[in-house]
């Protein structure tokens, strides 16, 4: 049944856009430095708390906070650069 494959509430264009957005986000995360990428992924993708990440990686909560901030900043820069490239 094709209804189980494609969400009937959403059209193909919306599904394609979501896939493209996911791919852009994936590239932005992959571009982060290794430590930052790991912390950012644990927090934003897996939803771990700052304390959980701190405990799992053996680093301070302040370091976790700083790395997440760096991840957000660098991801934002990645998106801004991509927007600039598209608008040219």
């Amino acid at each position: 049944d094709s209804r189980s494959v494609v969400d009937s509430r959403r059209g193909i264009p919306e599904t394609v856009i979501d896939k493209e957005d996911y791919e852009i986000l994936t590239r932005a995360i992959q571009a982060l430095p290794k430590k930052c990428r790991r912390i950012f992924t644990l927090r934003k993708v897996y939803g771990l708390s700052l304390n959980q990440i701190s405990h799992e990686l053996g680093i301070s909560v302040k370091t976790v906070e700083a790395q997440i901030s760096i991840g957000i900043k660098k991801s934002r820069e990645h998106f801004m650069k991509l927007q600039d490239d598209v608008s040219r």
Side-chain angles (χ1 to χ4, degrees), residues 41-75:
T41 301
L42 289 172
R43 178 72 175 147
K44 299 298 183 180
V45 176
Y46 294 102
L48 270 62
S49 72
L50 302 179
N51 287 331
Q52 289 172 314
I53 296 168
S54 170
H55 179 74
E56 183 171 321
L57 300 181
I59 58 177
S60 72
V61 172
K62 292 264 187 209
T63 300
V64 174
E65 291 172 338
Q67 291 297 310
I68 290 170
S69 292
I70 291 167
I72 291 169
K73 180 183 175 201
K74 289 188 177 287
S75 294

